[in-house]
Amino acid sequence: MKTTKKLMSMLLALSMILTLSISSALAATDGHGNETELDETLKATAECTLLGADDAARKGETNLGDLWTDALLWFAASGRINEYFEEDDVKAGNNSIAVDAEHIVALWNGGNLRADLSGEFGAEEVLAVLPYPNKVAVVYMTGAQLRETLEAASQGLPYSADTAAACASFMQVAGMKYTVDTEKAFDKGEEYKAPWFKAASVQRVTVAEVNGKAFDENATYAVVTSNANFNGMDSSYVFKAAAAANEKSAITTAVVRDVVWMYLNEKLEGVVKEADYGKAQGRVTILTKPVVMLTKQNLTVNGEAKNAEVYNIDGSNYFKLRDMAALLSGTGSQFNVVYDETSNLISVTTGEAYEKQPGDLAIGADKSASAVRSAQSLQIDGKTVTGLAAFNLANNNFFKLRDLGDALGFTVEYDQTTNTMVVTSK
């Protein structure tokens, strides 16, 4: 009797375990048409909308791209990846990332981010973002190969209805910053697979930094990505060649969606905060041909009406650097400007009076056709400054007024009623 009761109790417990297991699983179909089970207990909350729908991640960097690649980078750099190497790799001694953390980056193609995430979401919503059972892969490549990878991946930019398919290969990234200059044409080599071509040269992409350090074309980087890229999907011919050339390159057993959930729950504690992911974090800069117009813009400096040459470039007002120096000379925000032609360096010294030069504050003929992005280096008080939007028009440097205000300590406001830029010194 006791034996029978004990057996019944064990069967009941097993039945409850099976019932709980079944009730926590949700049947779904992945992008390949295969049935898959999703864990209904997985839940997270996004305080902002993470953009993946409507080809957002094909057009440029998105906050969802930042989150997704952050998850991959965290998985590799933290060492969590170590337990997911295949048995054959482990036997061969390949059971961890073979470079230091400063040389690990993550790349993810925008075509594999297909839906938004917002509010409370679960496994079903993440499946909509990535409907394929991709696994985490590591490819070792040189800096030069990494740059060529980004060049080929960006060949469809700038995004348009005609280039949407090619833009599927555009890379969201973590652990690095890069720029694509779409004013330069992609140098098509041989066709790789329609609609992608190999890069005959690398001229549109520049890499600003890797994990806060200088980019090195000769260094070896571990690139964390998907098995699809590892195998040469889309424009990833460099991935495929680099993986074949380095035996430490490997596809792990870790499913990418599972890794994203690990990151959400373990690193972010289930909450994607607005402060962290409310907007794209500035890892990818896409330069396009600017729209430049000479414009009539009223201007006051410390309450007095002033005249200066103003250009509207892509919707923002740009002023000549020397004009602003002349207007603010003698105020609490005065600064001097010196240009060293030999080193192509503009040096600004705050607090120093500026002597007005011939041509300052003159409004001449329209120079908009001559606009190019400024190649001059800028130093303020001896420190190199980056990130200021600047254009050169007919050999004069024009800077976004608000950028100058932030950098040099004067305030800029706009009076919509009178169409006036209001500049106030310290």
Side-chain angles (χ1 to χ4, degrees):
M1 187 68 175
K2 289 183 178 179
T3 304
T4 302
K5 286 184 176 180
K6 186 174 182 181
L7 179 60
M8 290 295 291
S9 177
M10 289 175 64
L11 288 172
L12 180 60
L14 179 60
S15 175
M16 289 179 67
I17 291 170
L18 289 172
T19 300
L20 287 170
S21 176
I22 292 169
S23 65
S24 66
L26 175 69
T29 303
D30 70 16
H32 293 306
N34 299 318
E35 290 296 316
T36 185
E37 286 191 346
L38 304 177
D39 185 349
E40 283 191 307
T41 66
L42 292 172
K43 297 294 179 184
T45 301
E47 296 179 347
C48 53
T49 298
L50 300 167
L51 300 175
D54 302 320
D55 284 356
R58 301 183 185 211
K59 299 172 184 176
E61 179 190 353
T62 68
N63 53 356
L64 179 58
D66 291 344
L67 172 74
W68 207 268
T69 52
D70 281 349
L72 294 174
L73 184 61
W74 165 82
F75 184 61
S78 68
R80 288 297 304 277
I81 196 173
N82 297 355
E83 60 192 277
Y84 292 90
F85 284 94
E86 293 274 12
E87 186 177 348
D88 289 345
D89 288 314
V90 174
K91 286 180 179 178
N94 187 16
N95 59 357
S96 63
I97 300 295
V99 297
D100 59 54
E102 291 180 352
H103 288 80
I104 306 173
V105 299
L107 271 61
W108 190 264
N109 49 305
N112 265 359
L113 295 174
R114 302 184 171 205
D116 294 345
L117 293 174
S118 62
E120 185 177 89
F121 61 90
E124 195 169 9
E125 287 75 23
V126 172
L127 177 66
V129 173
L130 176 61
Y132 302 107
N134 290 162
K135 292 184 177 180
V136 177
V138 182
V139 180
Y140 294 93
M141 60 176 68
T142 65
Q145 289 174 313
L146 175 55
R147 189 167 162 237
E148 184 176 348
T149 297
L150 297 171
E151 181 89 9
S154 304
Q155 63 187 268
L157 293 175
Y159 176 95
S160 70
D162 293 334
T163 65
C167 285
S169 65
F170 169 72
M171 290 295 174
Q172 307 286 327
V173 297
M176 65 182 300
K177 293 181 179 180
Y178 74 98
T179 296
V180 185
D181 186 352
T182 67
E183 291 188 66
K184 297 177 181 177
F186 176 71
D187 189 7
K188 288 183 180 180
E190 65 178 293
E191 186 176 28
Y192 174 57
K193 56 174 78 171
W196 293 281
F197 293 81
K198 293 184 178 182
S201 63
V202 179
Q203 56 184 6
R204 303 199 333 156
V205 168
T206 55
V207 179
E209 64 173 65
V210 175
N211 292 309
K213 305 293 183 180
F215 172 65
D216 184 352
E217 292 214 343
N218 297 312
T220 297
Y221 294 97
V223 183
V224 189
T225 188
S226 71
N227 62 305
N229 286 328
F230 183 103
N231 290 324
M233 181 184 74
D234 294 350
S235 69
S236 298
Y237 67 92
V238 181
F239 270 120
K240 187 174 182 179
N246 190 315
E247 61 183 11
K248 285 190 173 294
S249 296
I251 297 172
T252 73
T253 62
V255 176
V256 172
R257 288 195 305 269
D258 292 345
V259 169
V260 172
W261 278 111
M262 287 182 202
Y263 180 73
L264 287 167
N265 291 324
E266 296 176 28
K267 184 68 175 177
L268 302 187
E269 299 181 337
V271 180
V272 182
K273 294 182 178 179
E274 171 84 27
D276 297 327
Y277 290 103
K279 60 182 179 179
Q281 296 175 10
R283 302 172 186 179
V284 186
T285 301
I286 300 173
L287 302 178
T288 56
K289 187 173 180 60
V291 177
V292 184
M293 296 179 293
L294 181 65
T295 183
K296 291 182 178 179
Q297 177 71 68
N298 296 324
L299 173 69
T300 64
V301 177
N302 293 336
E304 294 185 20
K306 300 291 183 180
N307 289 316
E309 196 169 39
V310 188
Y311 284 86
N312 185 287
I313 303 178
D314 289 340
S316 296
N317 288 307
Y318 283 70
F319 284 73
K320 194 188 302 179
L321 182 61
R322 288 186 178 276
D323 280 359
M324 292 312 301
L327 290 169
L328 289 166
S329 190
T331 73
S333 298
Q334 70 180 2
F335 61 90
N336 194 22
V337 179
V338 176
Y339 174 59
D340 185 339
E341 189 172 358
T342 304
S343 59
N344 200 27
L345 175 67
I346 303 167
S347 295
V348 171
T349 305
T350 58
E352 189 173 286
Y354 174 77
E355 185 177 339
K356 184 179 176 183
Q357 304 294 308
D360 288 351
L361 302 175
I363 302 174
D366 189 346
K367 308 178 185 71
S368 55
S370 68
V372 295
R373 297 182 192 278
S374 180
Q376 280 85 19
S377 299
L378 175 67
Q379 286 187 349
I380 297 178
D381 295 332
K383 296 181 179 179
T384 300
V385 177
T386 59
L388 296 185
F391 286 83
N392 188 287
L393 285 78
N395 295 321
N396 288 301
N397 289 296
F398 286 74
F399 288 80
K400 189 185 294 186
L401 185 59
R402 291 188 184 277
D403 282 0
L404 285 178
D406 290 343
L408 297 172
F410 59 88
T411 61
V412 179
E413 296 176 333
Y414 176 63
D415 186 337
Q416 189 171 6
T417 306
T418 60
N419 188 32
T420 301
M421 297 300 297
V422 179
V423 173
T424 307
S425 68
K426 294 177 183 177

